[in-house]
Amino acid sequence: MTSHDPDDLHRRLSALLARERAALLSGDLHAVGALAGEKEALAAQLKSLGPEALAATQSLGEAARRNQALLDGALQGIRLAAARLSAYRRLHGAMETYDPQGRKTTIAGILAHKVERRA
């Protein structure tokens, strides 16, 4: 269904942004990705509206910016987690350190391939 009614489009975009916010706050990135197609379709409909109808949807900008900030935070968290896992893997192979004279020394890491589990 492609409705070009500005009020209906505003309602649907508002509902979509609310669902996206809920998914971001709960950490459900899969749901955020699933909303992308619907978001693109609604954005295309938004573009097809005239300038006077677009004014009715401007209030959604704040909700979109708020969701973007949440998404940026989620991406930053994913990057930090990936960096930490990468550092953990490097340390498991070997660790480089310096002795009191400033010479680089390599300390062999653990060779067993086990996953660390915490309660």
Side-chain angles (χ1 to χ4, degrees):
M1 176 175 113
T2 59
S3 171
H4 293 289
D5 175 29
D7 292 331
D8 180 53
L9 185 57
H10 184 278
R11 181 189 53 75
R12 291 169 55 207
L13 278 167
S14 182
L16 175 81
L17 290 171
R19 288 194 324 263
E20 182 181 56
R21 178 175 171 76
L24 285 165
L25 289 173
S26 69
D28 189 357
L29 298 180
H30 179 66
V32 172
L35 293 172
E38 185 180 352
K39 199 173 183 182
E40 287 177 15
L42 290 174
Q45 288 181 29
L46 185 63
K47 279 184 175 181
S48 71
L49 296 178
E52 63 283 345
L54 283 176
T57 60
Q58 292 302 316
S59 64
L60 297 172
E62 182 58 35
R65 284 187 290 279
R66 183 182 61 211
N67 285 2
Q68 184 62 48
L70 290 172
L71 187 57
D72 290 344
L75 289 173
Q76 181 181 10
I78 290 169
R79 287 184 191 113
L80 289 172
R84 186 162 182 163
L85 286 172
S86 176
Y88 179 74
R89 285 188 196 109
R90 277 194 318 272
L91 284 176
H92 246 68
M95 182 173 84
E96 293 180 344
T97 186
Y98 295 89
D99 66 14
Q101 290 74 37
R103 293 181 301 238
K104 192 182 228 180
T105 305
T106 301
I107 300 171
I110 301 168
L111 296 178
H113 297 289
K114 295 193 303 187
V115 174
E116 180 180 336
R117 294 185 184 160
R118 295 184 179 184

